[in-house]
Amino acid sequence: MTTIAIIGLGQMGKGLAKRLAGKTDLILSARDSATATAFAATLPAGVTVLDRDAAIAKADIVVLALPFALALAAAANPALAGKVVLDISNPITPDFSGLTIGHTTSAAEQLQQAAPTSRVVKGYNTIFAALFDRPASETAGIPVFIAGNDEAAVAAVESLVKLSGFAVEKTGGIDAARLIEPLGMLNIRLGYGLGHGPAIAPSWIKLAA
């Protein structure tokens, strides 16, 4: 069974943990271990709480459920060597009005540069945390757009996404994050800037030929 470590327990980290608990070996890690332990107690049995290095060491997939700046700092950890690293961040400004980088690079590419021996995959950045609280039957058709250079790593994240109750839309190499991250920003603008709320997500529709 794949072991997944979620580093960071903000709304996204907790939401993903709730979807994965009881379905795979799950490790949680946060700065406040007492809070992490209390949250783990609300999940199905078998969820482990460890410090960051120990969590990374035991994991097959490491989810950096952190804001971009913190994820970038975490990516420099040598313990991530050889690991599949899932980046779910959007590099947004403090007032959520736009991206801090884009078009010529991306958060995922910068994480890959910071962790050159890891296998970084982009995903979940177009999903609001509120969707994790909906029944899985409602989210099964909502795509998580993923991008990565390593085929095995992308396949591993594809399995994780499906296990968490979402569909998968593969977009190619890690440079495709330059397109996925602006899509995440558009979703934020629609959800909060234009008042549509967090129960929305971008989807891709293919019409019949």
Side-chain angles (χ1 to χ4, degrees):
M1 184 179 291
T2 301
T3 299
I4 299 168
I6 299 177
I7 310 299
L9 289 176
Q11 292 183 347
M12 289 293 290
K14 286 182 176 178
L16 186 57
K18 286 187 283 188
R19 283 292 186 96
L20 294 175
K23 299 176 182 177
T24 189
D25 288 336
L26 185 63
I27 303 170
L28 306 180
S29 182
R31 285 183 295 179
D32 186 339
S33 60
T35 298
T37 299
F39 172 67
T42 70
L43 302 175
V47 177
T48 305
V49 175
L50 296 173
D51 65 58
R52 182 173 295 187
D53 285 351
I56 290 171
K58 288 182 174 293
D60 301 302
I61 302 175
V62 178
V63 182
L64 295 181
L66 300 165
F68 169 57
L70 295 179
L72 187 60
N77 190 330
L80 290 172
K83 301 288 184 178
V84 176
V85 176
L86 176 55
D87 167 36
I88 70 172
S89 71
N90 279 310
I92 56 177
T93 58
D95 64 357
F96 297 90
S97 64
L99 298 177
T100 59
I101 57 174
H103 302 301
T104 58
T105 187
S106 64
E109 288 172 281
Q110 292 199 9
L111 263 64
Q112 183 65 85
Q113 291 172 5
T117 59
S118 301
R119 297 174 289 162
V120 176
V121 179
K122 189 76 187 186
Y124 287 103
N125 69 296
T126 61
I127 300 296
F128 281 127
L131 294 186
F132 290 116
D133 292 327
R134 312 282 292 207
S137 59
E138 291 185 13
T139 64
I142 294 175
V144 169
F145 298 87
I146 61 176
N149 291 338
D150 185 281
E151 290 185 7
V154 169
V157 170
E158 181 177 7
S159 296
L160 185 160
V161 169
K162 291 177 178 178
L163 192 65
S164 70
F166 291 87
V168 170
E169 190 72 55
K170 292 188 283 188
T171 62
I174 197 71
D175 63 317
R178 301 177 191 182
L179 307 175
I180 302 173
E181 290 170 11
L183 182 59
M185 186 66 242
L186 176 61
N187 199 45
I188 291 169
R189 173 166 291 192
L190 288 170
Y192 292 109
L194 298 178
H196 292 282
I200 61 170
S203 185
W204 221 247
I205 298 174
K206 183 177 181 180
L207 302 178

